[in-house]
Amino acid sequence: QVQLVESGGGLVQAGGSLRLSCVASGFTFRRHAMNWYRQAAGKERELVASISTFGLNTNYADSVKGRFTISRDNAKNTVYLQMNSLKPEDTAVYYCHARMENIDYWGKGTPVTVSS
């Protein structure tokens, strides 16, 4: 059974940094691209970053380019999101996501709050 478990969220001041982790299980992690989404209160969930199977190709939302870095460690079945220069508008619940065989899998989310 697929499981995605996020951790690392918390309270940070604007300009600070935070690293999110997502530990995956129940599937062949190295064969799938992984994604981070976020959802702010009252807003739609948005794609923040994606990473290919080997971690060589990454994509980011324009709003986080240059500040966030997605990475993965296939030996640990873990995908990370390094978040630097955080802004109050980054405040959201961050979700780990994978899609396989036309099915979406989500973690429960980890909240990030950035104070001004």
Side-chain angles (χ1 to χ4, degrees):
Q1 186 167 345
V2 172
Q3 284 190 294
L4 302 171
V5 181
E6 305 98 333
S7 63
L11 303 174
V12 295
Q13 294 182 333
S17 298
L18 204 61
R19 189 179 76 159
L20 308 183
S21 299
C22 171
V23 179
S25 61
F27 65 102
T28 307
F29 179 79
R30 69 181 185 275
R31 292 186 175 181
H32 296 92
M34 298 296 297
N35 311 289
W36 283 99
Y37 284 75
R38 68 185 181 189
Q39 187 168 25
K43 297 185 178 180
E44 294 291 307
R45 192 169 297 185
E46 64 173 339
L47 179 63
V48 175
S50 301
I51 188 165
S52 61
T53 54
F54 285 103
L56 298 178
N57 297 313
T58 58
N59 288 287
Y60 300 92
D62 288 343
S63 59
V64 306
K65 282 182 179 177
R67 300 188 298 119
F68 290 11
T69 303
I70 188 171
S71 62
R72 68 192 295 162
D73 186 341
N74 286 346
K76 296 181 178 180
N77 284 2
T78 302
V79 60
Y80 305 94
L81 186 67
Q82 179 66 46
M83 308 163 66
N84 298 328
S85 302
L86 284 162
K87 304 175 180 179
E89 53 261 44
D90 295 318
T91 296
V93 178
Y94 284 71
Y95 297 90
C96 185
H97 168 268
R99 176 175 287 175
M100 58 196 82
E101 298 179 353
N102 206 37
I103 299 173
D104 292 312
Y105 297 91
W106 299 93
K108 293 182 178 179
T110 185
V112 172
T113 301
V114 184
S115 62
S116 60

